[in-house]
Amino acid sequence: MSKLSSAEGDKKPGQKSEFLFGDPDYGANKCLDIRNVKVLSQAEWKAINQRLQTEAIKEAEREKKRLELEKMKSTSKEMVKNWTNTFLGARQKKLDERKKRLAKEEEAKIAIDLEEAKYQAERRKAAIEEAKLKLYYQTDRVKSFHTALNLTEVLKERDAQLEFKELCKQLSACKDQKYVEQWKKELEEATLNDQKKAEERRQKNLENVKDIKEQIREHEEIRKKEEEEKILEGEKIRRVAIADQLERERLEQLYKEQTGGLLKMYQDQIEGNKRMKEIERIKEEEEEEDCRIFAAAKKKMTKLRILREQELFKEREKQINRIQEFLSSQMKAQKDDEDDRIRRAVEERDRAEKEAEEEKAKKRAETLASIEAYRLEQIQLRRKQLEDEKQAELDEVRKRVAAERVISEYEAACWEAKNKEIRALSNEYLEIQRQHEEAKKREREGDAKLAGEGNRLAQLEENIFQEYARKVIDHCKAHGRNVYPLEVAARPSSVPGLGSSLPGETSIVNMGKSPEEIKEDEQKNQNANVDSTEEHKPSNEEGTKERLGFVW
C-alpha cells in the first residue's frame, strides 16, 4: 500500500477527506515528510486528469469531429459547385439557362410592348386627328363651303354632258355610211366562215366513213371467232351429256335395288303389326273380364255402405232426441230461478232510487247555500270595485289637468321656437338674395370677358377657314372647275366664326349658352335647313335635268 493511503488511514473511521491529497492544513500543524509524499509520474498524472475530465475531453473530440465534417462538407461544396456532370450541377445549370432564357424573353416582350405602345399611341393620335378633321367638317361654314364644292362638281359634270351631247350629234351624221360598210365587211367574213366550215365537215365525214369500215372489219373477225368457240363448246357439251346419261342409268339401277329392299322391309313390318294387334286384342278381352268382376264387387260394397249409413242416421236421431229432452228440463229449471232473480232486482232498484233521491236533496241544499254565499261575496266585491273606479276617475281627472298644463307650456315653447325659426329663415332669404345679386354681377363680368374671348376665337376660326377655302379654290381652279360658288361661300359672313365650335374651342355663336341651349339651336338649324331644301326642291325633275344638261 502506498504512503498516501497509509496517511489517510490515520484519520478517524467516520471522517471523509474532502481533498484528493489529504487535508490542506496538514502541513500547517505538522512538518511534511518528503518520504511520505507520493510522487506521481507524468503518465499517472495524465491518466488522473483524463479520468477527471472525461466528459470535457469527449465533448472536445465531438466538437473537433463536427468542425472537421463541416470543413470537409464546405470544401466538397466548393469543389462540386461548378461541376456540370452531377445531378445538382446539371439542375443548377438548367435553372441558370432557364433564368437567362426567361430574362431574354422578358426583354423581348418589353421591346414588343414598347413597340405596341408606340403603335397604339400613333393610332390614337391619328384617330384624334381624324376626329378633329371630321368635327371641323361638321361646322356650318365648312358644310356650306362643301355644298358649294358639290355645286362646282355638278357644273363641271354639266359641261361634260353638253360636250358629250355635241359629240353624239356629230357622230350620228356619218353613222349610216359606216354601218353599210360594216355590214358588207361582216357579210364577206360570214361567207368565208361558211365555206371553211363546209370543208371541215366534209373532211370529218370522210374520216367517219373510214372509221366505220374499220369497225365492220373488226366485227366480222369477232363473229368468226365466236362461231369457232361455239363449235368447240358444242363438242364439250356432247361429251358431258354422254357421261351424264351413263351416270343416270347407273343411279336408276341403284334406285331399283334400294326400292326392292325397302318393299320387302315394309311387308315384314306389316306382318309384325298384325301380330301385335292380335296380341293387344287378347289382352283387352282379359282386361274387360277383370272390369266386370270389379264392377260386381263394387256394387255389392255400395249396398253395404248404404245400409251402414242408414243405421248411423237412426242412431244420431236417437241421440238428438235425448239432448233435446235434457235441454228442455234445464230451461224449465232456469225459468223458475229467473223469476226469483227479477223480484230481488226490483227490490234493490227501489232501495237505490230512494237513496239517490235523499242524496240529491242533500246536494241541492248545499248548492243553494253556496250560491247565497257567493252572491253576498259578489255584492261586496262590486261595491268595492265601484269605489275603486270612482277613485281612479278622480286620479285621471287630476292627471288630465296636469297634462293640459304641460301641453299649454309646450305649445308656448313651440310658438317661441317657430318665431325664432321664421326670423332665422328671413335672415337666410336675405342672405340668398344678396348672393344672387353678387352672382349676377359676376355673370355680367364673365359675359364681358367671354365677349373678348369670343372675338379672338372668331378671328381664329375665320383665319383657319379662309386658309382651307383658298387651298380648295386654287386646286379647283387648277383643274378647270368653276370656282364662283366657292368664292361666294368663302366670303366673310355677317356672323363671325364658323357657326359651330372648332375642336377644343367654344364658338362665338354659342358663347355664354348652356349645353341644352346649344343642342336646341343646332336642332332648329337642322330643321330649318331641311325645310329650306324642301321648299327649293323643283317639282319637275325632268326639267331640272334638262336645265343642268343631263342626258340620261
Side-chain angles (χ1 to χ4, degrees), residues 13-268:
Q15 186 179 1
K16 292 183 179 179
S17 177
E18 296 179 357
F19 301 95
L20 181 62
F21 300 104
D23 191 356
D25 296 334
Y26 179 75
N29 300 322
K30 188 177 180 180
C31 294
L32 293 175
D33 189 0
I34 297 173
R35 290 174 297 178
N36 294 330
V37 175
K38 174 64 176 176
V39 179
L40 300 175
S41 64
Q42 187 176 4
E44 290 176 346
W45 178 254
K46 288 181 178 180
I48 291 169
N49 285 331
Q50 189 174 4
R51 282 197 298 270
L52 292 174
Q53 300 178 2
T54 303
E55 294 296 330
I57 293 169
K58 289 181 179 179
E59 183 66 26
E61 290 178 355
R62 285 196 294 269
E63 183 67 19
K64 184 178 180 181
K65 288 181 180 179
R66 187 181 65 79
L67 293 174
E68 289 177 355
L69 288 174
E70 288 182 355
K71 184 177 180 181
M72 188 183 297
K73 187 176 180 180
S74 61
T75 305
S76 299
K77 285 184 178 179
E78 289 294 329
M79 289 176 66
V80 303
K81 182 171 65 175
N82 298 322
W83 290 1
T84 58
N85 57 350
T86 60
F87 179 76
L88 293 176
R91 186 171 181 273
Q92 186 64 33
K93 184 179 179 182
K94 289 180 181 179
L95 290 174
D96 295 339
E97 291 177 354
R98 182 175 180 273
K99 189 182 294 183
K100 292 179 182 179
R101 186 176 68 254
L102 292 176
K104 290 181 180 179
E105 291 178 356
E106 186 65 24
E107 291 176 358
K109 289 179 180 179
I110 291 171
I112 292 170
D113 292 340
L114 291 174
E115 292 178 0
E116 182 66 20
K118 291 179 181 178
Y119 174 69
Q120 293 295 336
E122 291 176 357
R123 287 188 62 187
R124 286 194 296 271
K125 186 177 179 181
I128 291 169
E129 294 296 332
E130 185 179 359
K132 287 182 178 180
L133 185 61
K134 288 181 179 180
L135 289 173
Y136 181 74
Y137 286 162
Q138 293 298 321
T139 56
D140 295 339
R141 288 288 298 278
V142 175
K143 286 195 287 186
S144 300
F145 186 74
H146 286 172
T147 303
L149 181 61
N150 289 333
L151 179 58
T152 302
E153 295 295 331
V154 169
L155 293 174
K156 179 66 176 177
E157 183 66 22
R158 185 188 68 173
D159 295 339
Q161 292 290 338
L162 292 173
E163 291 178 3
F164 180 73
K165 189 174 182 181
E166 290 295 329
L167 290 174
C168 289
K169 287 180 181 180
Q170 293 176 5
L171 290 173
S172 62
C174 58
K175 186 176 181 181
D176 296 336
Q177 183 66 29
K178 289 183 178 180
Y179 179 74
V180 171
E181 293 177 357
Q182 183 70 22
W183 180 76
K184 288 181 180 180
K185 186 177 179 181
E186 290 178 356
L187 182 61
E188 292 176 357
E189 290 178 356
T191 304
L192 292 174
N193 288 331
D194 291 340
Q195 291 176 359
K196 187 176 180 181
K197 289 179 181 178
E199 182 65 23
E200 289 177 355
R201 284 197 299 272
R202 190 176 66 80
Q203 293 293 334
K204 191 178 289 185
N205 290 333
L206 291 175
E207 291 177 358
N208 290 335
V209 169
K210 186 177 180 181
D211 292 338
I212 290 169
K213 288 181 179 179
E214 184 68 23
Q215 290 177 2
I216 290 170
R217 186 179 61 77
E218 291 176 356
H219 289 167
E220 187 67 25
E221 291 177 356
I222 291 169
R223 187 178 60 78
K224 289 180 180 180
K225 289 181 180 180
E226 289 178 353
E227 288 179 355
E228 292 176 356
E229 290 177 356
K230 286 180 181 179
I231 292 169
L232 294 174
E233 189 175 358
E235 292 293 332
K236 192 182 293 184
I237 290 170
R238 278 195 295 274
R239 287 195 296 271
V240 172
I242 292 169
D244 185 59
Q245 183 66 27
L246 295 174
E247 184 66 22
R248 285 185 180 182
E249 291 177 356
R250 188 180 66 79
L251 292 173
E252 188 175 357
Q253 183 66 27
L254 183 62
Y255 176 72
K256 288 179 179 180
E257 292 176 357
Q258 290 178 355
T259 304
L262 291 172
L263 181 61
K264 186 177 180 181
M265 289 173 63
Y266 181 68
Q267 289 176 355
D268 294 339

Side-chain angles (χ1 to χ4, degrees), residues 139-141 450-451 453-459 461-462 495-513 518 522 525:
T139 56
D140 295 339
R141 288 288 298 278
L450 286 174
E453 183 69 18
N455 292 330
R456 187 185 67 80
L457 292 175
Q459 187 62 36
E461 291 175 356
E462 186 66 26
V495 179
L498 297 175
S500 60
S501 63
L502 286 172
E505 299 289 346
T506 304
S507 176
I508 185 62
V509 178
N510 299 327
M511 191 69 67
K513 293 183 179 180
I518 294 170
E522 290 178 355
N525 292 332

